[in-house]
Amino acid sequence: MLLTIEIILILLAIYPVLGALKWSCGLLFYLILSKRNHEFPKQNHDLDEVFAVIPAYNEEKTLLTTIQSVKNQGLDNDHIMVIDDNSNDETVKIATMAGVRVYTKNENKGKADSLNYAIKLIDELADPNKTAYLLSIDADTILQANGVQRLLDYFYGHNYGGVTANMDVANRENALPKSQVVEFSSIVGIIKRAQVAMTGTMYAYSGATTMYAMAALKEVGGFREDRATEDISIAFDHSLNGYDAGFAPDVKFYMNVPTTLRDLYRQRKRWAKGGIEVLFTNLLTSFKRPKIIMMLFDQFLTIAWSFSWLIMSIYLAYRLLTEFLSGDFYALGGTIGISLIVMTLQIVVGTVQIFIALLVDDNGSKMDYFMFAPLYLLFYWIVNPLTIITQFVPALLSVYAGMGKGTWQSPERSVD
């Protein structure tokens, strides 16, 4: 029993440390050794190849701004389509007044269904003599100027199934969104660059803004409609079919993030479920490509760490209570001391990773948000394992009992 607890304690202590070291080394590899392999010359592209698809469900507050940011890319209105997922607000009216193509579904079936609907439409509209691309952009997202041209640059000379842009936070009115600025830099600034440098691909696209090669989408049968996160699933499906996932750190997009703990937790539950679904969906087919094995092993370790965190939290609470009630304050002090050492080690390593991420991402322009690192760490090391634990069984039911679904509700929007 004690040996098992010690093993769990060791895993709990070293996994975040080793993870931070791995991503930091990967970033170093990206910056020094392989950055030249991920720089893409600017070219003049035929924008008639691109069809921007905006899946929307009750997005009246943000949709018009998103449409305008896409129009600013130089795309014709005929190449911008809003797929309305049976909204009950002013979404359709706003999209129609904007002059773009609008398609309304009879039933709310989720984002993946909307994207698959768009794939069929693009197949009919696209010039068969040209290479077609689907730009998926969420209805609360603003793509920077010339973003479409730069995303197209990344496909040149690479076998990318899709290229995802670099996410940033648009609504920064309180501490919670500001802490997500730190989070996105920590994830995007280090992990995606490290993944591309070490494996040539990534674990997941960003569903908010990604440009996909239509040929790659059709080859894998489109997006999985029975999964919680279509962007993670399609990245693995592409990888199994020989495609890589590209990352464009110089192409920024700004998204509205949850501003309440309830909405944030609900969003992260969906992300956690999607990650677990991917693990068990691809468990038996991962031998087809070594890169997949590395991705799945990392996901497995994350799940194992989450459950070890739960076990140790329960055990620690039990031990502290029994030592206090028994009056063994010497043992109580030792238990508290060991716990503080483990927590301090994780906080120090996490803070260093965040500092490096903020320094690298967007040329250090986000360093002002370093003060929100403690809030991010508190959220990440508590909420992240909780969401994985609570979504473990639902994810298994999705994969093995056919109970998965791709519908979800956006958080309350804070912009008009």
Side-chain angles (χ1 to χ4, degrees):
M1 177 64 178
L2 288 177
L3 179 61
T4 301
I5 292 174
E6 289 174 359
I7 292 174
I8 293 175
L9 182 60
I10 292 172
L11 176 62
L12 188 67
I14 68 172
Y15 174 71
V17 176
L18 294 179
L21 289 174
K22 177 182 69 174
W23 300 129
S24 297
C25 290
L27 177 64
L28 186 65
F29 182 66
Y30 177 90
L31 293 174
I32 297 177
L33 301 178
S34 68
K35 185 178 181 181
R36 62 182 180 273
N37 298 325
H38 304 288
E39 293 179 340
F40 303 88
K42 295 182 179 180
Q43 305 171 61
N44 291 319
H45 298 280
D46 183 0
L47 292 184
D48 285 343
E49 299 176 336
V50 179
F51 290 83
V53 179
I54 308 173
Y57 177 64
N58 292 344
E59 297 287 5
E60 62 182 6
K61 289 186 177 181
T62 58
L63 179 59
L64 186 59
T65 304
T66 298
I67 292 175
Q68 191 58 53
S69 81
V70 176
K71 284 186 175 185
N72 291 343
Q73 305 295 319
L75 295 178
D76 292 337
N77 285 358
D78 285 347
H79 282 247
I80 304 172
M81 53 181 68
V82 173
I83 311 297
D84 171 56
D85 202 16
N86 198 27
S87 300
N88 52 34
D89 64 355
E90 298 294 315
T91 292
V92 172
K93 180 180 178 181
I94 290 171
T96 303
M97 291 178 63
V100 299
R101 293 180 181 267
V102 183
Y103 302 89
T104 300
K105 293 155 56 179
N106 295 325
E107 185 180 351
N108 176 237
K109 292 186 177 181
K111 181 180 175 182
D113 180 82
S114 296
L115 290 172
N116 287 334
Y117 186 82
I119 290 173
K120 296 176 183 178
L121 294 172
I122 295 171
D123 238 0
E124 298 174 358
L125 296 170
D127 186 337
N129 298 316
K130 295 181 179 179
T131 302
Y133 298 92
L134 185 159
L135 172 65
S136 172
I137 180 165
D138 282 356
D140 65 332
T141 301
I142 302 171
L143 181 60
Q144 73 170 43
N146 207 38
V148 169
Q149 285 278 359
R150 285 300 288 149
L151 287 173
L152 285 169
D153 290 340
Y154 278 76
F155 284 94
Y156 181 77
H158 290 80
N159 191 34
Y160 285 146
V163 177
T164 194
N166 191 353
M167 66 179 68
D168 205 343
V169 177
N171 54 327
R172 305 181 183 183
E173 64 268 27
N174 61 44
L176 197 57
K178 288 177 180 177
S179 72
Q180 290 171 78
V181 174
V182 174
E183 179 187 16
F184 287 162
S185 284
S186 181
I187 292 174
V188 176
I190 288 187
I191 295 180
K192 288 190 180 298
R193 285 181 174 88
Q195 288 172 352
V196 169
M198 293 188 296
T199 68
T201 189
M202 298 184 305
Y203 296 13
Y205 297 114
S206 171
T209 302
T210 293
M211 183 178 289
Y212 299 97
M214 277 287 292
L217 289 176
K218 291 191 290 184
E219 186 174 321
V220 300
F223 295 86
R224 293 178 183 261
E225 298 178 11
D226 58 349
R227 294 293 182 260
T229 51
E230 87 293 333
D231 46 359
I232 302 177
S233 293
I234 194 69
F236 274 80
D237 290 341
H238 277 167
S239 188
L240 283 172
N241 281 270
Y243 292 98
D244 290 323
F247 175 54
D250 60 325
V251 182
K252 298 289 290 295
F253 70 89
Y254 300 87
M255 58 186 293
N256 279 271
V257 298
T259 57
T260 66
L261 288 174
R262 184 198 66 174
D263 284 340
L264 188 61
Y265 182 71
R266 187 170 60 187
Q267 180 193 65
R268 300 318 161 89
K269 282 201 306 181
R270 183 172 61 83
W271 290 6
K273 185 181 179 184
I276 300 168
E277 287 173 345
V278 160
L279 171 64
F280 287 98
T281 298
N282 298 285
L283 205 55
L284 300 180
T285 57
S286 61
F287 63 89
K288 292 182 179 180
R289 204 173 188 210
K291 294 179 182 180
I292 288 287
I293 297 177
M294 295 176 61
M295 296 177 185
L296 295 181
F297 183 66
D298 189 72
Q299 181 66 22
F300 170 80
L301 288 178
T302 301
I303 295 172
W305 178 84
S306 298
F307 279 95
S308 72
W309 174 87
L310 175 65
I311 294 170
M312 283 306 303
S313 296
I314 295 173
Y315 174 74
L316 179 62
Y318 167 77
R319 184 164 174 172
L320 289 173
L321 181 62
T322 54
E323 288 172 351
F324 177 77
L325 293 177
S326 65
D328 191 351
F329 296 109
Y330 178 80
L332 179 64
T335 302
I336 294 174
I338 293 174
S339 301
L340 290 176
I341 291 173
V342 172
M343 291 175 60
T344 302
L345 178 63
Q346 293 179 359
I347 290 173
V348 169
V349 173
T351 301
V352 170
Q353 178 178 337
I354 289 173
F355 180 81
I356 295 173
L358 292 174
L359 192 64
V360 170
D361 195 34
D362 205 16
N363 298 317
S365 64
K366 301 176 184 176
M367 284 302 297
D368 289 346
Y369 292 91
F370 183 68
M371 68 179 70
F372 294 96
L375 181 60
Y376 163 69
L377 289 171
L378 177 65
F379 163 76
Y380 187 80
W381 295 119
I382 295 179
V383 177
N384 189 55
L386 279 177
T387 56
I388 290 176
I389 292 165
T390 58
Q391 295 304 299
F392 187 77
V393 172
L396 292 183
L397 293 175
S398 293
V399 175
Y400 297 115
M403 298 175 62
K405 62 178 184 177
T407 57
W408 48 278
Q409 183 178 352
S410 299
E412 290 293 328
R413 301 303 186 198
S414 58
V415 259
D416 296 318

